[in-house]
Amino acid sequence: MAQTNTERTKALISKADCYVRLRDLDEARKTMMRVNHFGLSDSLSERVRYQTALYSYLCQEFEQCNSQLLQLEQHSSERTNNEYLLLYALSLNETREWTMAREKLNTWLKNAPLDSIRHDSIWDAADRFYKLSKQPRYVDPERAKFFSSIVPGTGQLYAGYLFESAFSATMVLVGVGAAAYGVLILKYYVTGLMTGFVISQQFYTSGIRRADFLAQKRNFKAARKYNDKLKNFILDLGSPL
């Protein structure tokens, strides 16, 4: 006897639950992604999308989480259902869409069954956390690469890494010094020039790549520090996990 799509979906949900009990969240996520929503009841479809989004968030698949929650939002039969909004805000924070995350938090807050004092307290706290001046300031990796291509070490300095800047500049100068020493002191014109060129070029090109990496590293650390504060704030409101 052929399974209906509803029966198949419930079987996949049970299978995903088994993976969760085994602490294999990625397999749980992949299992939920196999669900075909055609013909499912609104409540079952919403449950699937929420669980898929939740597993995606826990697996750090934030774009996938956002996609599932967007579809849940668009097809939800109960527009005032707040269950998914905190998870949505958490995931949007991770993709650095802080303005939209604040909007989801606002919607949750408007519909949450809170007394006026608690409501105003959370609203004021959200204003502080999501204030534009509190958001991290990023450095441009392309600009860091450009600076290092003009003057070795300046890209690392722009990214905020003084020691790396000094090291990069020094090693390029070592190559230039090796060339000068080989030509002027040892009189090995070809060998001296080639040795110095290879050393300086190696550290010059690696310095450009390093500047790009350090700029991205700084941006990641700044976003992580900010998002950790937002995450703790939202989870204190009522964790969806």
Side-chain angles (χ1 to χ4, degrees), residues 117 121 156 170 201:
I117 296 177
S121 174
Q156 291 89 329
T170 298
Q201 186 65 20

Side-chain angles (χ1 to χ4, degrees), residues 54-86:
L54 177 58
Y55 299 152
S56 297
Y57 176 82
L58 294 173
C59 293
Q60 299 185 14
E61 296 287 348
F62 303 119
E63 294 289 353
Q64 188 176 91
C65 178
N66 291 346
S67 175
Q68 290 295 323
L69 292 174
L70 176 61
Q71 294 178 72
L72 174 59
E73 186 174 60
Q74 292 174 338
H75 297 97
S76 176
S77 58
E78 297 180 19
R79 296 296 180 181
T80 58
N81 182 5
N82 265 5
E83 182 181 11
Y84 68 93
L85 288 171
L86 293 181

Side-chain angles (χ1 to χ4, degrees), residues 104-139:
K104 302 305 176 187
L105 191 57
N106 286 350
T107 303
W108 176 87
L109 193 54
K110 288 176 183 177
N111 297 317
L114 302 171
D115 61 67
S116 59
I117 296 177
R118 175 66 172 157
H119 178 280
D120 292 345
S121 174
I122 294 174
W123 191 279
D124 291 342
D127 275 340
R128 292 195 303 272
F129 277 108
Y130 282 95
K131 192 175 182 180
L132 187 61
S133 61
K134 296 288 186 180
Q135 295 179 9
R137 296 290 181 265
Y138 294 135
V139 296

Side-chain angles (χ1 to χ4, degrees), residues 57 60 62 89-96 98 101 129-130 134-136 138 219-237 241:
Y57 176 82
Q60 299 185 14
F62 303 119
L90 285 169
S91 188
L92 287 167
N93 286 337
E94 296 296 338
T95 54
R96 305 180 187 180
W98 293 303
F129 277 108
Y130 282 95
K134 296 288 186 180
Q135 295 179 9
Y138 294 135
N219 291 343
F220 173 81
K221 290 174 66 176
R224 183 73 270 143
K225 182 178 180 180
Y226 180 62
N227 281 336
D228 282 345
K229 292 179 181 178
L230 295 177
K231 182 177 180 179
N232 291 334
F233 168 63
I234 293 174
L235 290 179
D236 282 344
L237 301 180
L241 303 187

Side-chain angles (χ1 to χ4, degrees), residues 5 10 37 41 56 77 101 107 115 127 150 156 159 188 212 215 240:
N5 192 36
K10 290 180 179 179
H37 289 263
S41 66
S56 297
S77 58
T107 303
D115 61 67
D127 275 340
I150 299 301
Q156 291 89 329
Y188 295 149
D212 175 56

